[in-house]
Amino acid sequence: MSSDFDEKQKRFKVFKDNARAIHEFNKRKDVPYKLGLNKFAAMTNQEFRAAYIGFDILRHRSFRDARLGGVFSRYQSINLNILPSCVDWRQKGEVTAIKDRGNCWSCWAFSTVAAVEGINQIKTKNLVSLSVQQLVDCNTKYNYGCRGGAMKFAFEFIKDNEGITFEERDPYTGKQGRCEPREYKQVVVIDGYENVPANDEKSLLKAVA
């Protein structure tokens, strides 16, 4: 009983510290956004980072020699002067709602699905939520489900698999399950992908604009 009480006291103190920090941050006038409380408010920064940030893809043997990069050439010739200074696809209604991977290291699948959802909306004007779970369960030749993975292999899976299905047909569970190909009806397809060079904001602007 005492340990439970001590833990609750600790969490309450962490919550108050975070709430105070958020309140002070939101007084600032030099940033274009505000912070708010959410389900992580009772976690310390160190606890949050340990649970949700820091996956090292190169620790996986199959990724060490893989070409995780890709050719980036489609937009390189675009003149930066004709592009807007910033782009927010959320304001254009071309991004689905925020999703939560939970304790499963499936960020690679969420990132891949978000990119495919976005390009599908841009091309077809039809915003649909796609199945992260299908990638977690079925894209296992090089990726590792809840133990991590790379977007490169996920894009290649969607291309080779002739598409990916709706989220509602295979909703996210936060854990790796059995792949059931017969249950899937692919609804969105891609014919390829490109990687943006790392630490290159100009190339990123060309790609997203």
Side-chain angles (χ1 to χ4, degrees):
M1 182 69 70
S2 177
S3 61
D4 289 343
F5 178 77
D6 291 343
E7 179 64 18
K8 289 180 180 179
Q9 289 290 94
K10 175 184 176 181
R11 291 300 146 200
F12 185 50
K13 181 181 183 304
V14 171
F15 176 86
K16 289 191 295 183
D17 290 343
N18 286 335
R20 188 178 301 110
I22 290 171
H23 179 71
E24 292 301 318
F25 181 91
N26 288 341
K27 292 180 180 179
R28 294 174 55 178
K29 305 297 184 181
D30 60 331
V31 290
Y33 60 90
K34 300 293 184 181
L35 301 183
L37 295 171
N38 57 30
K39 68 178 185 179
F40 306 114
M43 298 176 69
T44 67
N45 184 54
Q46 292 76 14
E47 289 170 337
F48 179 85
R49 294 180 68 85
Y52 295 98
I53 301 176
F55 173 69
D56 185 356
I57 197 171
L58 295 181
R59 290 182 180 178
H60 287 273
R61 181 181 303 173
S62 64
F63 296 149
R64 290 174 186 165
D65 298 323
R67 290 187 60 203
L68 297 180
V71 177
F72 179 75
S73 59
R74 187 177 304 178
Y75 310 108
Q76 287 291 57
S77 62
I78 295 177
N79 186 344
L80 282 171
N81 293 328
I82 68 173
L83 298 178
S85 59
C86 65
V87 177
D88 189 343
W89 288 108
R90 297 172 303 173
Q91 295 180 355
K92 299 176 182 293
E94 300 189 357
V95 179
T96 57
I98 295 173
K99 301 176 183 179
D100 183 0
R101 68 170 175 81
N103 294 322
C104 171
W105 286 91
S106 53
C107 48
W108 58 273
F110 278 90
S111 300
T112 303
V113 162
V116 175
E117 289 171 343
I119 193 61
N120 179 67
Q121 160 65 12
I122 292 170
K123 292 293 186 180
T124 69
K125 304 305 178 185
N126 182 29
L127 183 63
V128 295
S129 188
L130 301 174
S131 176
V132 172
Q133 192 66 40
Q134 183 181 3
L135 293 180
V136 173
D137 292 346
C138 300
N139 181 209
T140 55
K141 183 176 181 180
Y142 297 110
N143 285 328
Y144 292 86
C146 284
R147 294 186 292 127
M151 293 176 66
K152 166 188 170 68
F153 301 126
F155 284 130
E156 291 176 354
F157 172 83
I158 295 174
K159 179 182 176 182
D160 295 342
N161 194 53
E162 298 182 346
I164 185 171
T165 195
F166 287 127
E167 180 182 26
E168 63 185 22
R169 289 180 176 162
D170 192 11
Y172 187 66
T173 65
K175 59 184 179 181
Q176 187 170 355
R178 178 181 298 178
C179 180
E180 300 288 354
R182 294 180 182 178
E183 297 182 4
Y184 302 128
K185 180 180 179 182
Q186 317 309 348
V187 294
V188 173
V189 300
I190 59 173
D191 59 9
Y193 67 96
E194 291 188 14
N195 284 342
V196 178
N199 304 314
D200 188 338
E201 291 186 0
K202 292 181 179 179
S203 291
L204 179 60
L205 179 58
K206 290 180 180 181
V208 302

